[in-house]
Amino acid sequence: MDCGLFQGVAELRRRNWGGLPCDAADIEAVVITHAHLDHCGYLPRLVRHGFRGRVVTTEFSARLIEIVLRDSPSRRSRPPSTPTNTAGPSTVPRGRCTTTRTSTAP
């Protein structure tokens, strides 16, 4: 559930650069609850490490996730000690998003 970035003090942000606890290629799906960086910001790095599974979220979250990820490459692509202006290109996982409809019915 979720695939976000650690945010806040440098000690926490360094966790975003540690090794994965498993092979990203072995992950079948990621469920994203909503489009905040601490819930979806690690997706591009997961893709770079070999994730090819599905991303499951709502239709509206999927739209917002694309915007959030395109708007935030400097927060995702550099270690905490790197200056902000050296960010690399964004990698947005495309074509694997499965949306779910939510119901407001009682």
Side-chain angles (χ1 to χ4, degrees):
M1 175 88 51
D2 289 329
C3 188
L5 291 176
F6 287 98
Q7 296 179 325
V9 297
E11 181 180 330
L12 285 176
R13 294 191 322 266
R14 282 188 196 96
R15 292 182 181 186
N16 297 322
W17 297 94
L20 296 173
C22 65
D23 186 348
D26 292 339
I27 300 171
E28 294 180 23
V30 174
V31 177
I32 304 294
T33 59
H34 61 281
H36 289 167
L37 282 177
D38 60 334
H39 293 264
C40 69
Y42 199 82
L43 279 172
R45 188 162 163 84
L46 193 66
V47 168
R48 282 194 295 274
H49 280 86
F51 172 70
R52 298 296 179 260
R54 295 179 307 124
V55 177
V56 181
T57 192
T58 66
E59 178 182 348
F60 295 110
S61 288
R63 291 178 189 175
L64 288 172
I65 288 167
E66 185 169 351
I67 293 167
V68 166
L69 294 181
R70 287 188 189 282
D71 188 49
S72 62
S74 66
R75 290 179 189 86
R76 293 181 287 105
S77 60
R78 62 185 169 81
S81 60
T82 305
T84 304
N85 62 357
T86 62
S90 171
T91 304
V92 178
R94 297 180 144 278
R96 289 189 303 275
C97 194
T98 302
T99 60
T100 59
R101 294 204 179 267
T102 56
S103 174
T104 56

